[in-house]
């Protein structure tokens, strides 16, 4: 079987199928920006708003940040307008995570002690933390079957780390001398980090309740912990087509609304991206914080200040899509098509996979988590599926490094983003046939 044939039926791939990419909308917005830019957006003053082909301001063009703020305020129906200075433009969520670790953590001298990662986790995320100096300092916090988290373990682990080595209440430049530039203000450094996908998680598809989000924020404030939320799937909510549909509230808004008096930074970074809704090739996203001071700190890295906001031209093109409202039409179309694929997947699982198979709710995002019954050899079946041209992502791919939880024994992540409804049904049928042949 050729590589091309294998790629065509890949349930592992969390990429949008090419027919869903809004090529025409991007082309029109690009033309508008590059041919009529003096009229299409605010005056480029060379300071807050620079020409799209020039270096961008460190935080990104103010007009683009204002458009994102107003867009989010409308979608999430926020009562208080968002300060655009709480937004730092990035070139996507992966870069945003790396940037947050570089600007807000210190892997030396037991300052940032531990990284907590929700398990199972996005399969490529471990390397980002390892590259930042945190190898073997990972703790897995289980996502439960209802989408909530094992908060009891999180608290117990934090207490144990603090008991062993109490965190210093206030750091000085001497404490973080390896990353402190004496010409710049003191960084805000956190003692712990929690990485989470709060809504339609990757890979299990669960969503945290407001109660759990607030509990996490309270824990974070108590232990000087930074919560990095990959807020990438909220708008891919299949219920948003209903009248007055509101996406799940982001944790950063809860942090902002309940900010303790005198707190200058907050404890949450919303690490968002346009990759899932406009196309990953644009490499554009944003970080949103509870206060402007934390967003400014995120924009103040040496590389960012040298080159200006990354992907500056693409941020202005996306600003045009926000300004015209075209982005809302694109998201509406995506939700209609992904909902159809999700419905096909659920029906096919019930029809073709063994009795007792469990499937997550799959109410939004890219992924569904499927759990085979105990009397099936998950790994053997996946291998035989591969030989038949059906690539499954078994749960062992989504373990937190150095702290495995055994997800590969029965769990499989299935993506609905890459295959259409017909391909989904026929390949689930092949999977079911192989399950029947491999019952233990």
């Amino acid at each position: 079987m050729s590589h091309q044939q294998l790629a065509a039926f890949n349930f592992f791939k969390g990429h949008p199928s090419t027919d869903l990419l809004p090529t025409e909308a991007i082309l029109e917005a690009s033309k508008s920006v590059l041919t009529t830019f003096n009229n299409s957006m605010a005056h480029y003053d060379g300071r807050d708003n620079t020409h799209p082909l020039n270096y961008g301001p460190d935080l990104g063009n103010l007009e683009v940040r204002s458009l994102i703020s107003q867009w989010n305020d409308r979608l999430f129906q926020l009562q208080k307008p968002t300060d655009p200075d709480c937004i730092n433009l990035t070139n996507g969520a992966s870069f945003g995570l790396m940037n947050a670790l570089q600007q807000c953590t210190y892997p030396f001298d037991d300052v940032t002690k531990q990284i907590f990662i929700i398990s199972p986790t996005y399969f490529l995320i471990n390397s980002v933390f390892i590259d930042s100096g945190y190898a073997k300092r990972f703790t897995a916090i289980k996502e439960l079957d209802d989408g909530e988290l094992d908060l009891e373990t999180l608290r117990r682990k934090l207490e144990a780390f603090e008991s062993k080595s109490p965190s210093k209440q206030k750091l000085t430049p001497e404490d973080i001398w390896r990353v402190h530039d004496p010409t710049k203000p003191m960084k805000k450094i956190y003692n712990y980090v929690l990485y989470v996908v709060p809504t339609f998680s990757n890979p299990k598809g669960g969503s945290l309740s407001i109660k759990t989000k607030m509990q996490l924020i309270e824990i974070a404030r108590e232990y000087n912990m930074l919560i990095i939320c990959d807020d990438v799937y909220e708008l891919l909510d299949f219920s948003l087509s209903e009248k007055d549909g509101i996406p799940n509230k982001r944790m950063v808004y809860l942090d902002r609304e309940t900010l303790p008096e005198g707190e200058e930074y907050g404890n949450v970074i919303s690490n968002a991206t346009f990759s899932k809704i406009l196309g990953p090739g644009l490499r554009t996203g944003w970080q949103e914080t509870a206060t402007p001071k934390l967003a400014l700190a995120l924009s103040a890295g040496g590389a960012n200040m040298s080159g200006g906001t990354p992907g500056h031209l693409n941020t202005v093109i996306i600003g045009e899509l926000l300004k015209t409202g075209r982005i809302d039409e694109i998201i509406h179309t995506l939700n209609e098509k992904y909902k159809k694929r999700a419905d096909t997947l659920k029906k096919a699982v019930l029809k073709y996979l063994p009795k007792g198979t469990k499937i997550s709710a799959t109410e939004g995002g890219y992924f569904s988590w499927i759990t085979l019954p105990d009397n099936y050899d998950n790994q053997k079946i996946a291998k035989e599926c591969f030989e038949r041209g059906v690539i499954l992502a078994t749960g062992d791919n989504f373990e937190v490094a150095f702290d495995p939880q055994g997800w590969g024994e029965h769990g499989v992540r299935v993506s609905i983003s890459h295959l259409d409804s017909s391909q989904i049904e026929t390949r689930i049928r092949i999977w079911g046939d192989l399950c029947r042949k491999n019952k233990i």
Side-chain angles (χ1 to χ4, degrees):
M1 180 167 293
S2 70
H3 175 74
Q4 186 176 7
Q5 287 174 306
L6 287 174
F9 311 121
N10 193 336
F11 280 117
F12 203 139
K13 223 172 218 185
H15 302 187
S17 52
T18 54
D19 62 300
L20 298 181
L21 299 173
T23 309
E24 181 183 340
I26 299 296
L27 178 60
E28 290 175 3
S30 302
K31 280 183 177 180
S32 179
V33 164
L34 291 174
T35 59
T36 61
F37 53 83
N38 284 327
N39 297 319
S40 65
M41 294 186 75
H43 173 64
Y44 294 107
D45 58 15
R47 185 184 65 255
D48 294 326
N49 295 288
T50 64
H51 188 286
L53 289 177
N54 215 326
Y55 290 104
D58 296 341
L59 284 165
N61 266 7
L62 176 58
E63 184 162 15
V64 177
R65 291 185 285 117
S66 297
L67 287 165
I68 292 173
S69 299
Q70 294 159 14
W71 181 58
N72 283 329
D73 290 348
R74 173 173 59 82
L75 292 178
F76 291 90
Q77 297 190 15
L78 302 182
Q79 298 302 308
K80 186 177 179 180
T82 298
D83 184 346
D85 284 343
C86 288
I87 288 179
N88 175 51
L89 300 183
T90 71
N91 62 356
S94 298
F95 170 89
L97 174 60
M98 179 183 70
N99 182 52
L101 294 175
Q102 191 172 63
Q103 303 309 319
C104 297
T105 73
Y106 189 73
F108 312 104
D109 306 323
D110 203 31
V111 175
T112 302
K113 299 178 175 63
Q114 196 75 1
I115 307 297
F116 295 94
I117 302 177
I118 306 309
S119 179
T121 192
Y122 166 45
F123 74 102
L124 292 174
I125 213 64
N126 291 302
S127 292
V128 182
F129 290 100
I130 293 170
D131 288 346
S132 296
Y134 293 104
K136 298 189 178 180
R137 280 194 273 170
F138 294 177
T139 296
I141 302 298
K142 275 192 175 184
E143 178 180 326
L144 307 177
D145 288 343
D146 60 0
E148 304 292 0
L149 304 180
D150 182 4
L151 296 182
E152 183 180 341
T153 295
L154 175 61
R155 278 193 174 278
R156 188 174 68 251
K157 295 286 187 179
L158 283 165
E159 289 170 1
F161 285 117
E162 282 300 296
S163 175
K164 181 180 178 182
S165 175
S167 299
K168 192 172 182 180
Q169 291 300 307
K170 187 169 183 178
L171 297 173
T172 65
E174 290 72 28
D175 293 319
I176 58 168
W177 63 272
R178 300 187 209 201
V179 299
H180 176 67
D181 182 343
T183 67
K184 290 163 62 175
M186 178 69 172
K187 290 186 174 186
K188 169 59 179 175
I189 301 295
Y190 295 84
N191 298 117
Y192 301 94
V193 174
L194 173 72
Y195 170 77
V196 59
V197 184
T199 301
F200 307 131
S201 69
N202 178 6
K204 284 193 82 177
S207 297
L208 302 182
S209 64
I210 294 291
K211 179 181 178 182
T212 296
K213 291 175 181 177
M214 281 307 307
Q215 288 176 321
L216 284 172
I217 290 170
E218 289 165 5
I219 292 170
R221 290 170 180 168
E222 182 179 352
Y223 289 96
N224 189 34
M225 181 169 71
L226 177 63
I227 302 173
I228 302 176
C229 299
D230 260 6
D231 287 335
V232 299
Y233 299 112
E234 287 93 338
L235 301 183
L236 296 181
D237 184 333
F238 309 149
S239 68
L240 290 185
S241 58
E242 299 171 6
K243 188 177 180 181
D244 299 326
I246 305 173
N248 287 351
K249 194 164 190 175
R250 289 179 174 146
M251 212 180 301
V252 71
Y253 302 142
L254 298 171
D255 192 26
R256 184 182 301 156
E257 291 167 0
T258 62
L259 205 65
E261 186 175 351
E263 172 56 45
E264 296 182 312
Y265 293 94
N267 291 82
V268 178
I269 294 174
S270 174
N271 189 35
T273 184
F274 290 103
S275 292
K276 312 301 181 188
I277 51 182
L278 293 178
L282 286 168
R283 304 311 315 134
T284 304
W286 74 99
Q287 295 167 317
E288 187 167 356
T289 58
T291 71
K293 198 162 184 177
L294 183 54
L296 184 63
L298 291 168
S299 76
N304 200 68
M305 293 180 73
S306 173
T309 190
H312 180 50
L313 170 60
N314 285 350
T315 68
V316 181
I317 291 170
I318 289 171
E320 187 72 13
L321 294 171
L322 289 164
K323 193 174 184 182
T324 62
R326 191 74 184 271
I327 192 170
D328 295 325
E329 299 170 14
I330 293 168
I331 293 170
H332 179 75
T333 298
L334 288 176
N335 279 327
E336 283 188 334
K337 294 192 175 183
Y338 284 143
K339 183 180 188 303
K340 182 180 178 182
R341 294 181 185 185
D343 289 343
T344 298
L345 174 65
K346 286 182 273 191
K347 290 175 183 176
V349 167
L350 288 173
K351 184 175 181 180
Y352 299 116
L353 292 190
K355 185 178 181 180
T357 297
K358 296 178 182 177
I359 180 171
S360 60
T362 320
E363 296 170 343
Y366 273 12
F367 305 110
S368 179
W369 186 260
I370 295 172
T371 307
L372 293 179
D374 291 345
N375 52 338
Y376 291 87
D377 189 331
N378 197 32
Q379 297 293 328
K380 183 180 179 184
I381 293 168
K383 184 177 179 181
E384 292 191 11
C385 280
F386 181 84
E387 292 167 356
R388 292 278 300 275
V390 180
I391 301 177
L392 299 177
T394 51
D396 48 299
N397 290 284
F398 308 99
E399 294 283 7
V400 172
F402 316 112
D403 196 6
Q405 305 294 309
W407 295 110
E409 190 174 351
H410 302 293
V412 177
R413 187 193 77 173
V414 172
S415 171
I416 62 168
S417 66
H418 189 59
L419 304 180
D420 63 28
S421 292
S422 175
Q423 292 169 331
I424 288 171
E425 178 167 11
T426 55
R427 271 66 211 180
I428 295 295
R429 187 184 66 210
I430 291 172
W431 185 11
D433 289 343
L434 293 172
C435 283
R436 282 188 288 277
K437 293 177 182 178
N438 285 281
K439 188 174 182 180
I440 299 172

